[in-house]
Amino acid sequence: MIIYDLNCDAGHHFEGWFGRPADYVEQKRKGILSCPICSSTNVKKIPTASHVKTQLTVSASEDEATKPSGQQVVSTHAMQALHRYIDKHFADVGAQFPEEARKIHYGEAEERNICGVASNEEAKELHEEGIEVHRLPPKPVEKEKLN
Ligand SMILES: [Zn+2]
């Protein structure tokens, strides 16, 4: 497989992929080699072509590629902020979480924000009882606490 940089008479620059150099000649002779942009069959190989792929890689994935790639960093910061918020505003009831959540839900305990530990099973049961449970991602390790 060889790649030629090609130009049509309208100045469009594109790549032609050929199994072997003779294919280019043959396709051009038969007039089946045409510009993908304007369909002109007046196509020339650019003599100084490098095979560095710079053009005609536009595809659906380009949008993806231009999205910010710092998502992981952002989410770490967001997680730290979230956990700080929870530390401050939520009472940590640990393994009592399912029980406490039920008490609050059924009005047997003071209504407050709690956090704690629940198994998948327990979280599912709470959810089925109409109790709002949010799973927290693991707490990120803060750099200053590393030693
Ligand atoms: Zn063209």
Side-chain angles (χ1 to χ4, degrees), residues 82 85-94 96-97 100-102 104-105 109-116 131-134 136:
L82 177 65
Y85 179 87
I86 284 165
D87 285 349
K88 202 170 169 186
H89 297 279
F90 283 63
D92 190 350
V93 295
Q96 302 298 309
F97 179 80
E100 281 300 311
R102 273 198 188 87
I104 292 166
H105 183 71
E110 185 199 345
E111 193 166 322
R112 66 201 196 281
N113 292 321
I114 58 167
C115 64
I131 300 167
E132 207 183 339
V133 179
H134 297 286
L136 282 173

Side-chain angles (χ1 to χ4, degrees), residues 77 80 84 140-147:
H77 283 290
Q80 284 172 349
R84 269 197 293 272
V141 179
E142 291 187 44
K143 275 184 183 156
E144 59 265 34
K145 286 182 184 168
L146 290 174
N147 206 347

Side-chain angles (χ1 to χ4, degrees), residues 8 10-12 14 35 37-40:
C8 77
H12 299 129
F14 59 97
C35 170
I37 298 151
C38 67
S39 300
S40 167

Side-chain angles (χ1 to χ4, degrees), residues 1 21-22 33 36 43 47 54 74 76 95 115 117 120 122 130 146:
M1 183 67 73
L33 183 61
V43 168
T54 53
V74 170
T76 302
C115 64
V117 198
N120 285 342
E122 287 166 336
L146 290 174

Side-chain angles (χ1 to χ4, degrees), residues 63-85:
D63 279 347
E64 295 296 318
T66 54
K67 279 179 186 166
S69 56
Q71 201 179 353
Q72 189 53 45
V73 177
V74 170
S75 68
T76 302
H77 283 290
M79 279 316 114
Q80 284 172 349
L82 177 65
H83 278 280
R84 269 197 293 272
Y85 179 87

